[in-house]
Each structure stands twice: as structure tokens, then as C-alpha cells.
Amino acid sequence: MSENNNKKDLLKDLIDKRSKALKGGGEKRIESQKNKGKLTARERLSLFFDNGKYEELDIFVQHQSKDLGLDKNVYDGDSVVTGYGLVNGKPTFSYAQDFTVLGGSLSLVAGKKIAKVMDLASKNGAPIVGFNDSGGARIQEGVDSLAGYGEVFVRNTLYSGVVPQISVIVGPSAGGAVYSPAITDFIFMVKDIGQMYITGPDVVKSVTGEEISHQDLGGSEAHSSKSGVAHFVYDSEEECMNGIKRLLSFIPQNNLENAEKKDFSENTTNEELRNIIPEKSTEAYDVKDVINKVIDNEDFLEVHANFAQNIVVGFGRIRGGSVGIVANQPASLAGMLDINASDKAARFVRFCDAYNIPIITFVDVPGFMPGVNQEHQGIIRHGAKLIYAYAEATVPKISVILRKAYGGAYIVMNSKELRSDLNLAWPTAEIAVMGPEGAVNVISRKEISESKDPEATKNKLIEEYKDKFSSPFLAASRGYIDDVIDPAETRNKIANSLEIFSKKFLDNPPKKHGNIPL
Ligand code: HXC
């Protein structure tokens, strides 16, 4: 055979090998994947990367296990597809578990493939996005597959705060498969197909006797509204891809960069902001109306929209620059801070701080939520996280007190003493140790009970208390509030200040790491 023919054969052999490898677990398994309403791993990556183009890695990697029939179940690439390309025009690294290969179960080599692409993401300062569709640790491999998880978990941890990490749950994520996503910054789930649980319904039934479906146990509804494990839920994989790309547009490539600035249309004053706070201080309103009127183009990407709705967190832009927004929500539980709200906001604040995103806080909080359940579940421990997160954050921090700012919750929500850069208040702000009624009941109990007309005395004392404390001017006279502003000027004031604070430099004392109350 001539040298040329030899080369031709090699090329043909390569083409054949690649085309076989690209079929993953084979046609039948692909069909079964489709019947479950799921895309294949490679379809997912094609949909994710710009123009469907990405460079695949480790296409010929095979597991080396022999036990329990694995020697007869060897597939090129094993159970995960890894690669890199551009997303929104920027370098991005990704992996997609291939359920057609042994149920996407994680082998040692699959763990090593994911570790390799994560290392590349970190070295190149780019986000890593993982599509999860897996039955967990490959049972036949025993301890090897557990080591595979270890390779991934350690990188999730070391690269946390270095490059953004996003997990997408597009199939089962069972057993060990849940913990890599849980360490990452954001979890997306697709309705119906996405499931996450440590132990499936069978194990739950055998241990606790409870009968529950896969979806009810760990579907998108459970994790987006009850457990708070999932940050975003989408109806379809296609919509989910757009959601991921939208999130990526608000955040930088890594911890040394800033998010890309976008075009914006200027609107310096907005008089509608004057009419949002209701006449009665006990009446609810939707704080998202305030957020949307302050940010560019009402373009707010809410994070954790269905979980702990008494606090709203998410990304927006002001004059084109990304900001993280934290806002008490009077329309839910009167905006009280509870365990879940504290966890939700603390984690968001820390993400923003890690990735150089200024934090804007809108305050309307009557306090921490009272109750035996909250106390016994550890509201002290959880509320402390939010104080810690705000106090530790060194990015520009601005807050606007819209209405109530009572007691401990006033201090927690980015008060001056937690190193906030600018504290503004609307004229409707009420800054006090506690609400008027509660305060009068404590400090004037004797005077009320001994008076001829206790009800009238109490009302008079409440009015006196309100006159004294239920305004921003006492706090402003002591410098706790930097300015009391016309609500219409809110965007203008924040935008001007963010421009000035853009070079803010603040370092925390040197240490290995702090000890946030977990
Ligand atoms: C090996 C697995 C597997 C696994 C699924 N498969 N999970 N093989 N290890 N962990 C195989 C199945 O045997 C099957 O092969 C194929 O993948 C497709 O699975 P099906 O069950 O047919 O799919 P489906 O009906 O969609 O159900 C998916 C599923 C179910 C709900 C995920 O497979 C399941 O319950 N798997 C086990 C989940 C689990 O308990 N994982 C925990 C592992 S221990 P065939 O050839 O029959 O089609 C763990 C601990 C790690 O993860 C801790 C680290 C910290």
C-alpha cells in the first residue's frame, strides 16, 4: 500500500471513530432520551455555545473498570461531554453529562474529564457551566466513582469566587450528583425533567414510610420554592439556555474583571417613585415597582424569585453597569426577615462582593420574624449570615430606606456601621428601635395601665413616639443617613454615586478566611 493510501486510511479510521464516539450510548439510548423529553448532551452544548460551535475534549476517554459487567459496557467519551467555546461572544467552558451512557453515572474518568475542563476555565478566567443529567455515582465502580466526585467537589470549592460556576439540572441529579451543583453559584432547573435528591423515593419509602413521586420529592417546584436549592426554573431547555445567557450578561468572566457595560437610555428623575409608598404605613406595596423604576429599561433579572419572597434579590443595570439589588418585600410577610430570607440575601451579597458587582439595598423592614419555629430553627444563626455578608463586602454599597427600618433589621440591611458607602432615605422612612405600638407597650406600660383612659393614653404616646422616631431626620441629624431625598431623584443619586465609587478600594484585615456562621 502507498504512503498516501495509508494516510487516507488513518483519516477514514479517525472519521469513523469520531462518528461512533459522537453517538454516546448509541441510537437506542438516544431515542429513549428523546422519549423522556430531553435533549442529548451534545445537543445541549450546541444550543448553549454561540453558533452551535464548541471544541470538544476527551472524546476518546474510556473507563478502565472491569467489575460487574463494566468490561462489556465501554463507551468513547464515557458519560460526560466536555468542551469550550464562546457564549455571548465570550470564552466559556462547559460539560454535559450523557445519560445515554450508563445513565450519565459518574465514573472516575468522567470526574477527571469534568475536573480537566474546570481547571481550564479557572486558568483562563472564564465561567464554567455544567449540564447535569445523571443517576449519581457509577455503582459498579465503587470507591473509584466516589473519588471521581471528590475531583469535582474540590474544584467547585477552590474555584468558588474565582470564576462563576453555574449548574443546570436537565434530568435526574441523584445521590452524589447533587453536591457539585450545590457548591456552585447558581442552579437552573428545567420543569418536569429536572430532579435533585440525595436519596430517591424508594429509599425514602423504605426508611421513613413516606410515599412520594420523584417530582414531588425533588422537582423544580420543590427546589425553587421550598428548599431554595434552585435559583431559576424554566419550562423548556431552550428557554433555560436563554436564561443562562441572560445571567452571564450581568456578571463578569472572573473575579478580577467587571461585568461588561451595556447601552442604556438615561432617565434621571422618575416622579412615579413619589407615589409608590401607600398612605398607611401598614399597607403593602410591591418593592419591584421601585426596583424597576430605578434600573435601566426595567430590565431586572430576579434570582430565587419563588423562594423567601419576603426579600427580593437580583441583577439590574444602572447607567449600563451591573448592580446587585437586595430589597425587603412588603408584599410578602410585611417584608420581615426570616431564616430563608437571611440565607437568600446573604448568599447573593457574597456573590456580588466576590465578582465586583456593587450592591444596592432598598430597605422596608419591620424586623426579624418572631415565633418559636423561627427561633428553634436558628434565626439567630441564619440572620447572622446576613450581617456578616454585608459587613464583609468591600464593593460599593448604597442603601435607600423607603419606609420602615426597625431594630436589628435596620442594622443588618446595610447600615452605615456595616461600612455602607451611601445611606439615603426617602421622607417616608421610619427609623426606630421598634414599631411605635410595640415600643409604647414596653416603655410606657405602667403609665398606660394607671391612666384613667388607657386606650387614649396609649394612642397619644404612640403619636408622640411617631413624631420623634418615625422619620428619617433624627437619623440624618446624627449622620447615620447621608441624605434625605426626593424619591424621584433616586436613580440619579445612585447613578452619580456609583460613578464616583467605581474605583473604591477597601481591603479586609489579612486572614486565612473568616468563619461565617453557617
Ligand atoms: C450505574 C446507573 C446508575 C448508577 C442509572 N444507571 N443510575 N448505572 N450507576 N448510579 C443505569 C441504569 O441501570 C440503566 O441502565 C440506565 O442507567 C438508565 O437508567 P434508568 O433507571 O433506566 O433510567 P430512568 O428510568 O430515567 O431513571 C433514572 C434514575 C434511576 C431515577 C436516576 O436510574 C435511579 O434511581 N438510579 C439510581 C440513583 C441512585 O440511587 N444513585 C445514587 C448512587 S450512590 P440499563 O442498562 O438497565 O438501561 C451516590 C453516592 C455518591 O451517588 C456520594 C458522593 C458524595
Side-chain angles (χ1 to χ4, degrees):
M1 208 184 283
S2 77
E3 199 182 314
N4 260 353
N5 273 348
N6 227 340
K7 277 190 184 152
K8 247 190 218 162
D9 287 349
L10 286 176
L11 211 54
K12 186 179 170 304
D13 191 36
L14 172 63
I15 291 166
D16 290 349
K17 277 201 158 90
R18 289 185 76 87
S19 102
K20 181 168 166 277
L22 291 174
K23 291 206 170 74
E27 300 287 0
K28 261 195 161 161
R29 301 275 182 185
I30 291 175
E31 200 183 315
S32 155
Q33 176 83 347
K34 300 273 167 193
N35 290 340
K36 288 174 180 159
K38 300 192 287 185
L39 297 174
T40 65
R42 289 187 178 85
E43 283 172 343
R44 284 170 177 151
L45 293 185
S46 298
L47 202 58
F48 179 53
F49 285 107
D50 292 352
N51 307 316
K53 279 206 217 147
Y54 62 96
E55 303 300 331
E56 189 172 331
L57 296 169
D58 286 336
I59 193 170
F60 298 118
V61 157
Q62 297 178 344
H63 73 71
Q64 309 294 321
S65 313
K66 308 262 177 288
D67 293 335
L68 299 171
L70 277 184
D71 51 340
K72 294 185 191 66
N73 269 304
V74 181
Y75 301 88
D76 286 329
D78 206 72
S79 57
V80 65
V81 182
T82 58
Y84 49 83
L86 298 176
V87 174
N88 297 339
K90 296 192 179 122
T92 306
F93 293 76
S94 186
Y95 67 86
Q97 290 176 320
D98 186 349
F99 195 83
T100 68
V101 174
L102 295 156
S105 57
L106 193 107
S107 60
L108 177 61
V109 294
K112 286 191 169 171
K113 277 183 73 168
I114 297 174
K116 188 192 271 186
V117 78
M118 290 177 79
D119 288 341
L120 279 173
S122 159
K123 281 187 273 194
N124 289 284
I128 174 95
V129 179
F131 294 87
N132 294 264
D133 186 359
S134 164
R138 185 164 301 161
I139 295 164
Q140 301 91 320
E141 274 199 8
V143 68
D144 278 344
S145 63
L146 299 182
Y149 273 124
E151 296 281 355
V152 180
F153 297 164
V154 73
R155 285 166 176 82
N156 286 136
T157 308
L158 295 179
Y159 303 152
S160 177
V162 178
V163 290
Q165 300 182 50
I166 294 173
S167 301
V168 195
I169 313 297
V170 277
S173 196
V178 299
Y179 275 124
S180 167
I183 310 173
T184 61
D185 299 303
F186 297 102
I187 296 183
F188 287 70
M189 287 185 86
V190 173
K191 262 187 199 155
D192 300 330
I193 59 173
Q195 298 163 17
M196 295 178 83
Y197 35 76
I198 293 280
T199 54
D202 293 350
V203 180
V204 170
K205 191 174 173 204
S206 69
V207 174
T208 71
E210 291 163 291
E211 270 202 62
I212 190 159
S213 69
H214 285 91
Q215 271 301 324
D216 287 345
L217 179 64
S220 57
E221 164 70 22
H223 285 311
S224 63
S225 63
K226 294 191 178 114
S227 71
V229 166
H231 301 83
F232 300 96
V233 176
Y234 287 91
D235 286 340
S236 69
E237 296 204 43
E238 288 77 8
E239 288 167 88
C240 186
M241 294 290 174
N242 292 333
I244 303 163
K245 291 177 197 182
R246 187 162 172 234
L247 171 63
L248 287 172
S249 78
F250 280 100
I251 64 183
Q253 289 286 95
N254 58 60
N255 63 339
L256 301 177
E257 294 182 15
N258 291 325
E260 192 191 342
K261 275 212 161 197
K262 301 276 180 196
D263 293 339
F264 65 97
S265 55
E266 185 60 280
N267 58 327
T268 47
T269 56
N270 188 334
E271 285 164 21
E272 288 169 89
L273 285 166
R274 291 180 185 150
N275 304 321
I276 292 180
I277 305 287
E279 279 297 317
K280 272 176 71 183
S281 149
T282 47
E283 228 171 275
Y285 63 94
D286 188 349
V287 78
K288 285 186 234 173
D289 289 340
V290 176
I291 296 170
N292 279 319
K293 287 178 181 25
V294 170
I295 60 176
D296 295 353
N297 313 321
E298 304 205 358
D299 184 15
F300 182 52
L301 174 60
E302 190 173 355
V303 175
H304 255 150
N306 302 329
F307 177 66
Q309 292 179 329
N310 38 330
I311 203 154
V312 174
V313 304
F315 298 101
R317 294 187 182 88
I318 293 186
R319 287 195 194 147
S322 267
V323 292
I325 290 167
V326 180
N328 307 114
Q329 173 58 291
S332 173
L333 298 174
M336 274 186 288
L337 283 174
D338 61 359
I339 289 171
N340 287 344
S342 303
D343 284 5
K344 168 175 163 177
R347 191 151 163 75
F348 183 74
V349 164
R350 296 191 98 216
F351 178 85
C352 292
D353 188 45
Y355 290 100
N356 315 314
I357 300 172
I359 301 159
I360 314 296
T361 305
F362 294 105
V363 184
D364 188 346
V365 59
F368 278 96
M369 182 183 271
V372 177
N373 186 42
Q374 287 286 310
E375 293 289 355
H376 289 185
Q377 297 292 317
I379 192 165
I380 297 173
R381 193 159 52 82
H382 293 274
K385 294 177 196 180
L386 189 51
I387 303 180
Y388 193 108
Y390 266 122
E392 156 193 65
T394 56
V395 289
K397 295 184 286 190
I398 296 178
S399 70
V400 186
I401 301 182
L402 309 178
R403 192 169 62 174
K404 297 181 184 113
Y406 292 165
Y410 153 78
I411 290 290
V412 174
M413 296 299 295
N414 194 43
S415 60
K416 200 65 164 172
E417 292 64 41
L418 301 190
R419 305 193 297 173
S420 169
D421 298 290
L422 179 70
N423 293 67
L424 303 171
W426 285 4
T428 41
E430 306 165 19
I431 304 165
V433 173
M434 62 197 292
E437 179 136 9
V440 164
N441 279 339
V442 174
I443 56 181
S444 311
R445 191 183 319 164
K446 225 170 157 199
E447 187 183 342
I448 294 169
S449 65
E450 287 171 0
S451 77
K452 279 193 188 131
D453 185 347
E455 198 55 32
T457 308
K458 185 172 149 188
N459 289 340
K460 185 181 121 265
L461 289 167
I462 286 176
E463 284 314 309
E464 279 174 21
Y465 183 92
K466 275 189 186 164
D467 279 348
K468 186 142 184 70
F469 293 110
S470 300
S471 91
F473 294 103
L474 191 97
S477 75
R478 284 159 167 77
Y480 298 127
I481 296 296
D482 299 299
D483 200 1
V484 182
I485 61 166
D486 172 356
E489 288 291 337
T490 308
R491 174 182 159 86
N492 200 10
K493 291 266 181 195
I494 294 175
N496 292 342
S497 304
L498 282 177
E499 274 168 20
I500 302 294
F501 298 160
S502 67
K503 297 262 180 345
K504 178 183 173 186
F505 183 77
L506 178 64
D507 251 349
N508 290 332
K511 53 184 147 181
K512 186 170 177 190
H513 59 70
N515 189 13
I516 187 166
L518 296 171

